Structures are given as C-alpha cells and as structure tokens.
Amino acid sequence: MALPDRFTAFRIHQDEAGHRSGLESVALDQLAPGQVVVRAEWSSVNYKDALAGTGKGRILRRFPLVGGIDVAGTVVASTDPAWREGDAVLATGCGLSETRDGGYSQYVRLESSAVIARPAGLGAREAMVIGTAGFTAALALLRMLDNRLTPGHGPLAVTGATGGVGSLAVDIYSRAGFEVHAISGKPDQARYLRGLGAREVLPREALATTRPMESARFGGGLDNAGGPMLASLLAQTVPYGSVVSAGLAASPALDMTVMPFIIRGVSLLGVSSSSAPRALREQVWERLGSDWAPQHLDTICTREVGLDGLPSVFEQMLAGGSHGRTVVRID
C-alpha cells in the first residue's frame, strides 16, 4: 500500500520556547523507527495522556513526540513476517508517548514486539474503549487470581470507580464472578456504577480509617488512589486477600504498618501496564476478547472526539470533570 508523504498527528514539544502541543503535518521518517506501520483508526484518552499533552506531568522522556499511549488500526506495511498488510492490531503502553511516538496520528510506526493481534469480536473502537484502562484492570485481576484469590474471599473494592480503570474494573470483575463494591467521591454517579455491575456504591469515607487494622470486610480490590485510601483498604482486607495498587490519584505515599501483612497475610500486588511482558499482554487481551469481555462499553464510553478535541478533554480530565472513557477517532 502506498503511504502518503505527510499526515496529521498530535505532537508534543518541550524546548527553550516552553511546552506546546497540537496538530501538525508529519512524515513517516519523523516517527520513531519500527518494523510495523499501522493506519490508526481509534485511540483513547488516559490520565497519563492528559498529563503529557498539557505538560503538567513529566511523562515524555524526549521531545518532540506524538502523544497517545493507545492505538488500534490496520497494518499497512511490515518488515516483520509475523505481521501482514490488513492485519487488525492494537498496541498499548510499550513506550508510546513516553520514549516513542504514540497513537494520536493517522499513521503509527511500531516495534513489532509492541503489536498485539486484536481479539476476534473486538472492533477497533471497542478495543480502545478498553485500552490501557481495561488492560490495567484485567491485569490486576489476573494478578489477584494468580495469588489464589477467589470470590469466596469476599467483595472486591474498586477505588476511583468512576474513572476509566475503575469503571472497567467494576464491569470486568463482576463479569468474572466477583461481588464488587465501588468506592467513589461522586455520589451522583451511583446509578452509573450499579449499572456496570457494582453491588454496593460506597463513599470515600468507607476508606477513611487511619487505624492499622480494622474489621475485615473486603476480599481485596483494585486501588487507583494511593495514600490513605490504599492503607485503609489493606487494613480492611480479609486474611489472605489481595489488593492491587494501580494508581496514585490521591497520593504516591503509603504510610501504614506491616500489621495487615503479618497478622492477616494480606498481599499488596503491583501492576505496570506499560512494561508488561508480551506473553502476559497477549494473555490479558485474550481474556478481554472472551470471558472477561466488558459488557457495558457503550455506557463506559462517555465521549468521542477527533484529534482536534484533545486539548479540551485533557483540561477537563485533569480538573476531575470526567468519568468513564473517552475514545479518539483518527480521521
């Protein structure tokens, strides 16, 4: 397939003139090297994308770079025989919009190791409603299951439940057979969360305790907040329950005692979606295309924009004025 000489991308700069970002006309040889060229169809907006696009977070390791940590589309050229023209693929993390040009571009050049075959039954748009957020939620569930967590341990708490990761976690975990208790500071979104599968919707005050141990009420859960909420969740987790730390929306600090670990055998697990090994990424996406496929993507996707709509989405997300997922249409 003949590629255009130039195409549109959302590019981020940081130099002596300061931070700036916006739509630019770029050529393929301006992008980071790679074996696979993809005609992008959809991307998404994650909190990390908003930080990178506005310059309010130190995300990019070099400049300039095309933003967007997620992308789904179709292979148009490949020097790796594992990928052929017409293959439906996706990529999340793997240095996109950090050390490599990302998915906010009509054409994306990727290292073949970053490319994942899109699961059958998942369209490009659906895959990007899931994106890094759903991948993170599913990876966290896999970590808990590998640590022998079962629905019999009790309900799973999900903090930051109205966000992208939280919303998809509520959907995926309930589909996987767990009772889910959504923790949110947005009481007006209780109906939304119950519609995704939450059995209970609890206020942030449910995780406001500062005591090292509390009555055990959760089998474990996924924490997107960090700080005191994570410490409180660990203090309320049942013996041999598992909690996954996936975010720091409230704080990167963790001030607590070791008592939940040595008295109840609670496990604190970590996930890194951007650096997950390829075999693990393939395993998670296989589940997301089958038995863990989210059932409420139309509800979770609360906004769709083109590349030109990214700046306003970034500002609204950083101001806490969004919920669910935003997908990006690559025209």
Side-chain angles (χ1 to χ4, degrees):
M1 176 180 178
L3 302 180
D5 292 334
R6 303 190 71 82
F7 46 88
T8 302
F10 185 91
R11 214 168 184 214
I12 304 167
H13 297 259
Q14 180 74 48
D15 51 30
E16 61 276 1
H19 174 90
R20 64 190 185 281
S21 61
L23 299 185
E24 297 181 20
S25 175
V26 301
L28 189 65
D29 61 8
Q30 291 178 270
L31 302 182
Q35 299 80 35
V36 184
V37 180
V38 173
R39 175 56 168 102
E41 298 166 22
W42 294 90
S43 183
S44 69
V45 181
N46 302 277
Y47 195 77
K48 192 174 180 180
D49 293 316
L51 291 173
T54 59
K56 294 180 180 178
R58 299 174 66 89
I59 305 299
L60 274 62
R61 307 280 185 87
R62 65 181 184 87
F63 296 91
L65 279 182
V66 175
I69 66 174
D70 294 344
V71 67
T74 304
V75 173
V76 293
S78 176
T79 59
D80 184 336
W83 302 105
R84 297 180 296 176
E85 184 177 338
D87 286 346
V89 298
L90 61 85
T92 60
C94 298
L96 297 185
S97 190
E98 185 176 352
T99 59
R100 299 182 51 83
D101 292 288
Y104 294 159
S105 176
Q106 291 177 314
Y107 290 86
V108 182
R109 189 157 61 180
L110 301 167
E111 293 181 328
S112 59
S113 60
V115 180
I116 299 292
R118 198 167 74 228
L122 269 187
R125 187 181 186 277
E126 293 173 307
M128 290 295 94
V129 178
I130 298 171
T132 284
F135 176 81
T136 300
L139 179 58
L141 179 57
L142 188 64
R143 291 278 280 137
M144 289 188 279
L145 294 177
D146 285 347
N147 203 45
R148 296 189 170 187
L149 189 74
T150 70
H153 281 88
L156 295 184
V158 176
T159 67
T162 62
V165 177
S167 294
L168 283 154
V170 172
D171 189 325
I172 294 166
Y173 297 177
S174 59
R175 176 156 166 73
F178 287 85
E179 180 178 325
V180 180
H181 290 189
I183 314 293
S184 175
K186 299 178 179 178
D188 58 314
Q189 296 298 328
R191 183 176 180 181
Y192 164 77
L193 292 168
R194 289 194 179 94
L196 301 183
R199 179 75 61 84
E200 301 284 347
V201 179
L202 305 175
R204 290 173 181 165
E205 289 73 24
L207 296 181
T209 179
T210 58
R211 294 193 293 185
M213 294 280 281
E214 287 284 354
S215 297
R217 61 186 298 193
F218 301 113
L222 173 64
D223 176 64
N224 295 293
M229 291 187 74
L230 175 55
S232 181
L233 176 54
L234 289 162
Q236 297 182 64
T237 297
V238 303
Y240 290 92
S242 298
V243 174
V244 175
S245 173
L248 40 69
S251 171
L254 183 58
D255 183 11
M256 61 175 294
T257 74
V258 300
M259 292 174 67
F261 309 125
I262 65 174
I263 294 177
R264 290 185 179 150
V266 171
S267 294
L268 175 58
L269 308 172
V271 291
S272 175
S273 58
S274 63
S275 61
R278 179 179 180 81
L280 187 56
R281 285 187 284 123
E282 290 178 327
Q283 182 181 2
V284 171
W285 277 105
E286 182 181 354
R287 301 295 294 267
L288 285 168
S290 56
D291 56 328
W292 289 356
Q295 299 299 288
H296 304 91
L297 292 180
D298 288 343
T299 301
I300 292 171
C301 183
T302 56
R303 183 164 42 187
E304 177 184 315
V305 298
L307 289 173
D308 57 352
L310 286 170
S312 62
V313 172
F314 293 159
E315 294 295 341
Q316 187 173 2
M317 179 174 282
L318 294 180
S322 63
H323 73 278
R325 291 281 283 162
T326 296
V327 291
V328 182
R329 183 182 61 257
I330 312 293
D331 295 320

